[in-house]
Amino acid sequence: MRSEQEQSLTVGELARKCGVTVRTLQYYDKSGLLIPSGYSEGGRRMYSRRDIIRLQQILFLKSMGFSLREIKRKVLPADSTAELSQVFKHQRMLLAQQMAQLQQTITQLDKSMEELESDNEIGIERLLMITRASRADNPYSFLTRHISKEQIAYFMERFDEDGAADFYPKLQALTAKLMELYQRNEKPDGMEGQQLAEMWWSVVTRMTGKDLIFIRDMGAVIMNESSWPPEASDLKEATLSFLREAVLTYLRHNKITLPKEEARES
């Protein structure tokens, strides 16, 4: 069996085989994102199997829109078969999420083409639905940038590819309903507001396995205004005002109490 040293690649070989530039790999080295495992006698960077796995994660997360600073925190260890499996499970979950969003967009476009072929004019509501469905990002995808690696791993274990494909359209539908109620100036403690809160609670408990500490931590991220990306300002406003009050009212009515921050140390 060839040794790890024999399997190492020079910076030029790695760049060529992975479709990146040597300058990119040099930058990753200088920034501490991807430090080569060794150097040749001539001083050239040499990359091992472990480095290649790390580069794969970097390129994947970069393609999903994460910044290099975020990627540095998100790269998972992959020194064992089990750890490498977790890496690929995480990537599969993110891709399944994208697939679900793409399928939703395809569905809306199919309905629109059917209307056009029937000589019907597409209403503004349908146009708005297509616009929202066409967004490449999940509206709450920023959560994965703020929760821990352990929480991400826990979340991944709860969803196989089919489960994720079923989950994300439901989340999108609930998000659309939230925006509708907010724009209609409905009351968070009204009938529709409480129906929405009940559905949200069902989604959250399924996603977290009813782990109240996990739910509390997710809620803290969502309620932190600085966590939200600038492009989600409309959803942020609806979430921080309408959804927050609706869920708090629902929890009070159902006598559900989230643990205080100190509970983490117990």
Side-chain angles (χ1 to χ4, degrees):
M1 186 173 178
R2 299 175 68 190
S3 68
E4 189 73 12
Q5 178 63 31
E6 289 174 328
Q7 294 177 25
S8 294
L9 300 176
T10 66
V11 65
E13 290 172 334
L14 182 62
R16 185 172 62 256
K17 291 178 182 294
C18 292
V20 298
T21 65
V22 170
R23 181 172 294 182
T24 294
L25 294 177
Q26 291 171 339
Y27 177 76
Y28 288 169
D29 182 8
K30 291 179 181 178
S31 63
L33 189 60
L34 179 64
I35 300 173
S37 294
Y39 293 85
S40 68
E41 292 182 1
R44 291 189 300 177
R45 295 174 175 86
M46 300 298 294
Y47 293 86
S48 67
R49 177 179 181 275
R50 178 188 300 175
D51 300 329
I52 295 171
I53 293 173
R54 186 173 179 88
L55 176 60
Q56 188 273 339
Q57 291 189 70
I58 292 168
L59 297 178
F60 178 85
L61 292 170
K62 190 170 183 292
S63 75
M64 301 299 290
F66 288 94
S67 69
L68 294 183
R69 179 177 296 180
E70 292 167 332
I71 290 171
K72 196 169 185 178
R73 298 196 304 266
K74 291 296 179 185
V75 171
L76 298 170
D79 296 327
S80 67
T81 300
E83 288 177 337
L84 183 57
S85 178
Q86 280 296 100
V87 168
F88 291 153
K89 282 181 180 178
H90 184 207
Q91 294 180 3
R92 179 178 175 179
M93 180 194 74
L94 293 175
L95 289 173
Q97 174 183 341
Q98 272 197 342
M99 289 170 60
Q101 293 163 352
L102 288 171
Q103 185 57 55
Q104 186 180 38
T105 304
I106 290 171
T107 299
Q108 292 298 331
L109 290 172
D110 285 344
K111 291 180 180 178
S112 299
M113 287 188 292
E114 289 176 5
E115 291 186 10
L116 290 173
E117 289 170 0
S118 301
D119 294 326
N120 293 326
E121 183 177 348
I122 299 178
I124 190 169
E125 289 301 322
R126 175 58 55 78
L127 289 173
L128 291 172
M129 288 178 68
I130 294 173
T131 302
R132 181 170 293 277
S134 298
R135 290 178 57 181
D137 61 311
N138 181 281
Y140 294 98
S141 62
F142 69 90
L143 274 173
T144 63
R145 306 182 185 201
H146 298 279
I147 62 178
S148 69
K149 292 179 181 179
E150 292 76 18
Q151 289 170 328
I152 291 175
Y154 180 78
F155 175 73
M156 288 189 302
E157 289 174 1
R158 302 194 57 79
F159 295 94
D160 55 16
E161 184 175 357
D162 292 334
D166 176 63
F167 171 77
Y168 289 110
K170 288 182 179 178
L171 181 60
Q172 290 280 1
L174 285 173
T175 302
K177 187 65 176 178
L178 165 62
M179 294 303 301
E180 177 191 339
L181 295 179
Y182 178 70
Q183 291 166 359
R184 278 169 34 196
N185 292 319
E186 293 291 335
K187 293 183 178 181
D189 59 353
M191 182 182 69
E192 288 190 90
Q194 287 306 289
Q195 287 175 344
L196 178 70
E198 183 178 11
M199 289 187 288
W200 269 94
W201 185 250
S202 175
V203 166
V204 169
T205 52
R206 181 192 171 201
M207 182 172 66
T208 62
K210 300 183 180 179
D211 184 330
L212 295 184
I213 293 180
F214 193 176
I215 294 172
R216 178 203 65 196
D217 292 345
M218 286 179 55
V221 173
I222 291 175
M223 291 304 126
N224 183 357
E225 292 193 28
S226 63
S227 301
W228 288 77
E231 64 271 17
S233 58
D234 55 344
L235 180 59
K236 178 178 77 171
E237 187 176 344
T239 300
L240 298 186
S241 56
F242 186 92
L243 183 61
R244 178 179 182 276
E245 290 304 317
V247 171
L248 288 176
T249 300
Y250 176 82
L251 295 180
R252 284 196 301 270
H253 287 170
N254 290 275
K255 297 183 168 62
I256 301 171
T257 304
L258 298 181
K260 296 182 182 295
E261 187 70 23
E262 292 75 17
R264 182 180 300 205
E265 304 297 330
S266 61

